[in-house]
Amino acid sequence: MKLKTELVEHERVLTATRMHPKALAGAGLYVLLAIVLASFASTVKPASLVLATVVFIAAAVALYKAAERWVHWLRRQYFLTNYRLILMDAGQMQASLPLDRIRGMNVQMHRLKGAGDIVVDALGTTHRVECVPVPQKFSRLTQSAQQKFLSRA
């Protein structure tokens, strides 16, 4: 994973991650639903063309929802540098949070083991880092980078 934005002088990427692969579970369920619906539609097609068409449309919608979730997972990237936390979506910077502006972080674990959200408070503005793998580790790395940054200032 490569950061596609300019870094300031002496800035370096400490860690990079994307959403946990378990976030794709919903996409997998939509694909499974689409397969079941398409199979059902092909079975009932000789008896009822209208019903088969409606079910095929439902299967197409399920595939669309699966693709939507996969693209969402693929687009989200999170970078921690020695100066800031960068939230990217589709190669575009959504937020650049300087480490000296971060006032607090709250880890909210998911039912998916090993994944969670990190809610970051940066001077009154709240940002959600979604479905991070091992969020406690990412939060500790951010706090450590923040302490090092503040000790130099």
Side-chain angles (χ1 to χ4, degrees), residues 26-101:
L29 291 175
Y30 275 119
V31 169
L32 184 61
L33 176 63
I35 291 169
V36 169
L37 289 172
S39 176
F40 177 73
S42 66
T43 302
V44 299
K45 186 176 180 183
S48 174
L49 185 59
V50 173
L51 178 60
T53 302
V54 169
V55 175
F56 270 126
I57 291 170
V61 169
L63 279 178
Y64 173 79
K65 295 299 277 181
E68 188 176 60
R69 286 186 177 215
W70 182 78
V71 167
H72 178 73
W73 176 83
L74 192 61
R75 293 169 41 143
R76 291 289 168 105
Q77 298 175 334
Y78 312 118
F79 296 90
L80 175 63
T81 75
N82 54 331
Y83 291 163
R84 58 192 167 149
L85 177 61
I86 301 170
L87 311 180
M88 303 285 286
D89 189 0
Q92 300 295 315
M93 189 181 313
Q94 296 302 304
S96 174
L97 310 174
L99 293 176
D100 61 342
R101 302 277 171 103

Side-chain angles (χ1 to χ4, degrees), residues 1 33 36-37 39-40 49 51 64 81 87 90 93-94 105 110 112 119-120 131 136 138 141-142 144 147 151:
M1 185 174 348
L33 176 63
V36 169
L37 289 172
S39 176
F40 177 73
L49 185 59
L51 178 60
Y64 173 79
T81 75
L87 311 180
M93 189 181 313
Q94 296 302 304
M105 289 185 289
H110 288 189
L112 301 171
V119 180
V120 180
C131 202
Q136 299 92 336
F138 193 83
L141 286 170
T142 304
S144 175
Q147 288 171 352
S151 69

